[in-house]
Amino acid sequence: SVSAFLLNRSSDLSFNVIAITKDGHFVMERQYRHALGCTCYELPCGVMEEGETPLEAAQRELEEETGYGGGEWKKLMELSANPSTMTNLTHSFLATGVEKISEQHLDSTEELEVHLLTREEVCHLLRNNEMMQSLMVASLLKYLSLELI
C-alpha cells in the first residue's frame, strides 16, 4: 500500500513555445525572476485563459510577449515538473517560420526583453546552465535531440 502524501492538484494550464524564425533564430525572452534573484533566458510561456486550447493560448502568448507569430505549429511534448507530487502537465509547442507581426503587448506586471539567438547560442546557454527553468530546458533538449535523428 502507499502511504498518504500531499498532492498538488491543478489543471494542465501551462505551456511553453520553441519559436524559430524563418532565418533559423530562436525567439527567446530574458526576464528577472525574483525567487532566484536573477535575470534568466527563457522560452515564451504562460497559462491558458478560460476557454482556450493549449495551442490557442501558446499562439496568443507568443505574440503578446514577443510580437512574433504565424508559422507552422505542432505539439512537441507534454511533461510534468514533478510527477511524484504534481498532477498537472505542461504543453510544449514547436513553431517554425515565425516572423515579427506586431509589437509586444505585455501585462502591467511583465517586463521582459526579446532576444533572437542562433542554435549555437541556445546550445551554449544549455551547456553553461544559463537557463534555469527545467521544463523549458527539457523541451529544448527534446527538440535538439530530434534534429540529430
Side-chain angles (χ1 to χ4, degrees):
S1 80
V2 175
S3 300
F5 59 94
L6 183 64
L7 284 181
N8 181 351
R9 294 185 190 275
S10 59
S11 55
D12 300 338
L13 297 175
S14 65
F15 58 85
N16 63 48
V17 181
I18 299 173
I20 303 173
T21 63
K22 289 183 177 184
D23 63 354
H25 285 87
F26 288 70
V27 180
M28 303 289 290
E29 299 174 354
R30 195 161 156 76
Q31 62 182 316
Y32 178 75
R33 293 302 190 187
H34 186 69
L36 294 179
C38 66
T39 302
C40 304
Y41 278 99
E42 298 181 348
L43 295 174
C45 64
V47 295
M48 289 177 265
E49 295 179 357
E50 189 173 334
E52 283 184 315
T53 67
L55 176 60
E56 291 167 342
Q59 290 171 329
R60 172 189 50 76
E61 195 76 10
L62 178 66
E63 184 177 346
E64 285 179 4
E65 289 187 351
T66 69
Y68 282 80
E72 294 185 33
W73 289 70
K74 69 177 185 179
K75 186 100 170 234
L76 181 64
M77 65 192 297
E78 291 179 349
L79 62 168
S80 169
N82 185 350
S84 68
T85 59
M86 301 174 77
T87 62
N88 66 309
L89 297 174
T90 294
H91 306 271
S92 182
F93 292 93
L94 173 64
T96 55
V98 300
E99 56 191 338
K100 183 85 167 167
I101 60 173
S102 72
E103 296 303 314
Q104 289 176 292
H105 301 285
L106 300 176
D107 295 335
S108 62
T109 58
E110 291 178 309
E111 190 173 316
L112 59 91
E113 301 171 351
V114 177
H115 293 262
L116 299 179
L117 303 180
T118 65
R119 180 187 185 282
E120 293 74 27
E121 291 170 323
V122 170
C123 288
H124 176 84
L125 294 176
L126 293 169
R127 280 193 300 273
N128 292 288
N129 297 320
E130 295 180 45
M131 289 188 69
M132 300 304 294
Q133 215 284 4
S134 60
L135 299 173
M136 295 176 188
V137 169
S139 296
L140 281 166
L141 290 175
K142 167 95 180 231
Y143 169 74
L144 292 168
S145 74
L146 293 173
E147 281 191 322
L148 300 175
I149 297 174

Short mmCIF file of all heavy atoms in Angstrom, two decimals, residues 18-21 23-29 43 94 114-120 122-123 140 143-144 147:
data_model
loop_
_atom_site.label_atom_id
_atom_site.label_comp_id
_atom_site.label_asym_id
_atom_site.label_seq_id
_atom_site.Cartn_x
_atom_site.Cartn_y
_atom_site.Cartn_z
N ILE A 18 8.83 26.74 -28.31
CA ILE A 18 10.09 26.90 -29.03
C ILE A 18 9.70 27.53 -30.35
O ILE A 18 9.10 26.88 -31.21
CB ILE A 18 10.80 25.56 -29.24
CG1 ILE A 18 11.15 24.92 -27.91
CG2 ILE A 18 12.04 25.75 -30.11
CD1 ILE A 18 11.69 23.51 -28.02
N ALA A 19 10.00 28.81 -30.50
CA ALA A 19 9.65 29.56 -31.71
C ALA A 19 10.93 29.83 -32.49
O ALA A 19 11.89 30.38 -31.94
CB ALA A 19 8.95 30.86 -31.35
N ILE A 20 10.91 29.44 -33.77
CA ILE A 20 12.09 29.61 -34.62
C ILE A 20 11.68 30.43 -35.84
O ILE A 20 10.71 30.11 -36.52
CB ILE A 20 12.67 28.25 -35.03
CG1 ILE A 20 13.01 27.44 -33.76
CG2 ILE A 20 13.89 28.42 -35.92
CD1 ILE A 20 13.45 26.02 -34.02
N THR A 21 12.43 31.50 -36.09
CA THR A 21 12.12 32.40 -37.20
C THR A 21 12.44 31.75 -38.54
O THR A 21 13.10 30.70 -38.60
CB THR A 21 12.93 33.71 -37.08
OG1 THR A 21 14.33 33.39 -37.19
CG2 THR A 21 12.64 34.42 -35.77
N ASP A 23 14.57 32.60 -40.62
CA ASP A 23 16.01 32.50 -40.84
C ASP A 23 16.72 31.67 -39.76
O ASP A 23 17.95 31.70 -39.66
CB ASP A 23 16.65 33.88 -40.98
CG ASP A 23 16.54 34.74 -39.74
OD1 ASP A 23 15.88 34.32 -38.77
OD2 ASP A 23 17.13 35.83 -39.73
N GLY A 24 15.96 30.91 -38.98
CA GLY A 24 16.55 29.94 -38.08
C GLY A 24 16.94 30.44 -36.69
O GLY A 24 17.62 29.72 -35.95
N HIS A 25 16.50 31.62 -36.30
CA HIS A 25 16.80 32.12 -34.96
C HIS A 25 15.71 31.71 -33.96
O HIS A 25 14.53 31.69 -34.29
CB HIS A 25 16.93 33.64 -34.97
CG HIS A 25 18.20 34.11 -35.57
ND1 HIS A 25 18.33 34.33 -36.93
CD2 HIS A 25 19.39 34.39 -35.03
CE1 HIS A 25 19.55 34.73 -37.19
NE2 HIS A 25 20.23 34.78 -36.05
N PHE A 26 16.14 31.40 -32.75
CA PHE A 26 15.23 31.05 -31.67
C PHE A 26 14.74 32.34 -31.02
O PHE A 26 15.56 33.20 -30.66
CB PHE A 26 15.93 30.19 -30.62
CG PHE A 26 16.22 28.79 -31.06
CD1 PHE A 26 17.19 28.53 -32.03
CD2 PHE A 26 15.54 27.72 -30.51
CE1 PHE A 26 17.48 27.24 -32.42
CE2 PHE A 26 15.82 26.42 -30.91
CZ PHE A 26 16.79 26.18 -31.87
N VAL A 27 13.42 32.48 -30.85
CA VAL A 27 12.85 33.64 -30.17
C VAL A 27 12.87 33.33 -28.68
O VAL A 27 12.13 32.46 -28.19
CB VAL A 27 11.41 33.92 -30.65
CG1 VAL A 27 10.83 35.14 -29.93
CG2 VAL A 27 11.37 34.11 -32.16
N MET A 28 13.73 34.04 -27.96
CA MET A 28 13.91 33.80 -26.54
C MET A 28 13.57 35.07 -25.76
O MET A 28 13.58 36.17 -26.32
CB MET A 28 15.37 33.42 -26.24
CG MET A 28 15.87 32.20 -27.00
SD MET A 28 15.14 30.65 -26.45
CE MET A 28 15.92 30.47 -24.85
N GLU A 29 13.29 34.89 -24.49
CA GLU A 29 12.99 36.02 -23.61
C GLU A 29 14.03 36.04 -22.49
O GLU A 29 14.59 35.00 -22.13
CB GLU A 29 11.61 35.86 -22.99
CG GLU A 29 10.50 35.81 -24.00
CD GLU A 29 9.15 35.52 -23.39
OE1 GLU A 29 9.05 35.24 -22.17
OE2 GLU A 29 8.18 35.58 -24.15
N LEU A 43 12.07 30.40 -22.64
CA LEU A 43 11.18 30.29 -23.79
C LEU A 43 9.93 31.12 -23.50
O LEU A 43 9.56 31.29 -22.33
CB LEU A 43 10.74 28.83 -23.99
CG LEU A 43 11.81 27.83 -24.37
CD1 LEU A 43 11.22 26.42 -24.36
CD2 LEU A 43 12.42 28.16 -25.72
N LEU A 94 6.27 23.54 -30.80
CA LEU A 94 7.30 23.99 -31.72
C LEU A 94 6.62 24.81 -32.80
O LEU A 94 5.69 24.34 -33.45
CB LEU A 94 8.03 22.79 -32.35
CG LEU A 94 9.02 23.11 -33.45
CD1 LEU A 94 10.19 23.94 -32.91
CD2 LEU A 94 9.53 21.83 -34.09
N VAL A 114 13.15 40.63 -25.59
CA VAL A 114 13.14 39.58 -26.60
C VAL A 114 14.54 39.51 -27.23
O VAL A 114 15.13 40.54 -27.57
CB VAL A 114 12.09 39.86 -27.70
CG1 VAL A 114 12.13 38.81 -28.79
CG2 VAL A 114 10.70 39.94 -27.07
N HIS A 115 15.05 38.29 -27.35
CA HIS A 115 16.35 38.06 -27.97
C HIS A 115 16.21 37.00 -29.05
O HIS A 115 15.55 35.99 -28.83
CB HIS A 115 17.36 37.58 -26.93
CG HIS A 115 17.71 38.60 -25.90
ND1 HIS A 115 18.83 39.39 -25.98
CD2 HIS A 115 17.07 38.98 -24.77
CE1 HIS A 115 18.87 40.20 -24.94
NE2 HIS A 115 17.80 39.98 -24.19
N LEU A 116 16.83 37.23 -30.19
CA LEU A 116 16.88 36.24 -31.26
C LEU A 116 18.25 35.58 -31.20
O LEU A 116 19.28 36.25 -31.39
CB LEU A 116 16.65 36.89 -32.62
CG LEU A 116 15.31 37.59 -32.80
CD1 LEU A 116 15.21 38.20 -34.19
CD2 LEU A 116 14.15 36.63 -32.56
N LEU A 117 18.27 34.28 -30.92
CA LEU A 117 19.52 33.56 -30.73
C LEU A 117 19.69 32.47 -31.78
O LEU A 117 18.72 31.86 -32.21
CB LEU A 117 19.57 32.92 -29.34
CG LEU A 117 19.41 33.85 -28.14
CD1 LEU A 117 19.49 33.05 -26.84
CD2 LEU A 117 20.46 34.95 -28.14
N THR A 118 20.95 32.23 -32.14
CA THR A 118 21.24 31.13 -33.05
C THR A 118 21.15 29.80 -32.30
O THR A 118 21.15 29.77 -31.06
CB THR A 118 22.66 31.27 -33.64
OG1 THR A 118 23.60 31.13 -32.56
CG2 THR A 118 22.84 32.60 -34.36
N ARG A 119 21.13 28.72 -33.04
CA ARG A 119 21.13 27.39 -32.43
C ARG A 119 22.36 27.23 -31.54
O ARG A 119 22.28 26.70 -30.43
CB ARG A 119 21.11 26.32 -33.52
CG ARG A 119 21.11 24.91 -33.00
CD ARG A 119 21.27 23.91 -34.16
NE ARG A 119 21.14 22.55 -33.69
CZ ARG A 119 22.11 21.89 -33.04
NH1 ARG A 119 23.25 22.46 -32.77
NH2 ARG A 119 21.91 20.64 -32.65
N GLU A 120 23.50 27.69 -32.02
CA GLU A 120 24.74 27.59 -31.25
C GLU A 120 24.65 28.38 -29.95
O GLU A 120 25.14 27.93 -28.90
CB GLU A 120 25.93 28.07 -32.09
CG GLU A 120 26.26 27.20 -33.28
CD GLU A 120 25.27 27.33 -34.45
OE1 GLU A 120 24.64 28.41 -34.60
OE2 GLU A 120 25.10 26.35 -35.19
N VAL A 122 21.89 29.04 -28.26
CA VAL A 122 20.98 28.31 -27.36
C VAL A 122 21.70 27.13 -26.74
O VAL A 122 21.59 26.88 -25.53
CB VAL A 122 19.70 27.86 -28.12
CG1 VAL A 122 18.88 26.89 -27.28
CG2 VAL A 122 18.87 29.06 -28.53
N CYS A 123 22.49 26.40 -27.55
CA CYS A 123 23.26 25.27 -27.01
C CYS A 123 24.25 25.75 -25.96
O CYS A 123 24.45 25.08 -24.94
CB CYS A 123 23.97 24.53 -28.14
SG CYS A 123 22.84 23.58 -29.19
N LEU A 140 13.69 22.12 -24.94
CA LEU A 140 14.78 22.41 -25.88
C LEU A 140 15.64 21.19 -26.14
O LEU A 140 16.03 20.93 -27.29
CB LEU A 140 15.64 23.57 -25.36
CG LEU A 140 15.05 24.95 -25.56
CD1 LEU A 140 15.80 25.99 -24.71
CD2 LEU A 140 15.06 25.35 -27.03
N TYR A 143 13.79 18.93 -28.53
CA TYR A 143 13.85 19.46 -29.89
C TYR A 143 15.22 19.21 -30.50
O TYR A 143 15.33 18.72 -31.63
CB TYR A 143 13.51 20.95 -29.92
CG TYR A 143 13.83 21.56 -31.25
CD1 TYR A 143 13.01 21.32 -32.35
CD2 TYR A 143 14.96 22.35 -31.43
CE1 TYR A 143 13.33 21.83 -33.59
CE2 TYR A 143 15.27 22.88 -32.67
CZ TYR A 143 14.45 22.62 -33.75
OH TYR A 143 14.76 23.14 -34.98
N LEU A 144 16.27 19.54 -29.76
CA LEU A 144 17.63 19.38 -30.30
C LEU A 144 17.96 17.92 -30.55
O LEU A 144 18.65 17.58 -31.50
CB LEU A 144 18.64 20.02 -29.35
CG LEU A 144 18.55 21.55 -29.28
CD1 LEU A 144 19.39 22.08 -28.11
CD2 LEU A 144 18.93 22.21 -30.59
N GLU A 147 16.55 16.80 -33.87
CA GLU A 147 17.33 17.27 -35.00
C GLU A 147 18.43 16.28 -35.36
O GLU A 147 18.87 16.23 -36.50
CB GLU A 147 18.00 18.60 -34.67
CG GLU A 147 17.11 19.81 -34.77
CD GLU A 147 17.94 21.08 -34.67
OE1 GLU A 147 18.91 21.15 -33.91
OE2 GLU A 147 17.59 22.02 -35.40
#
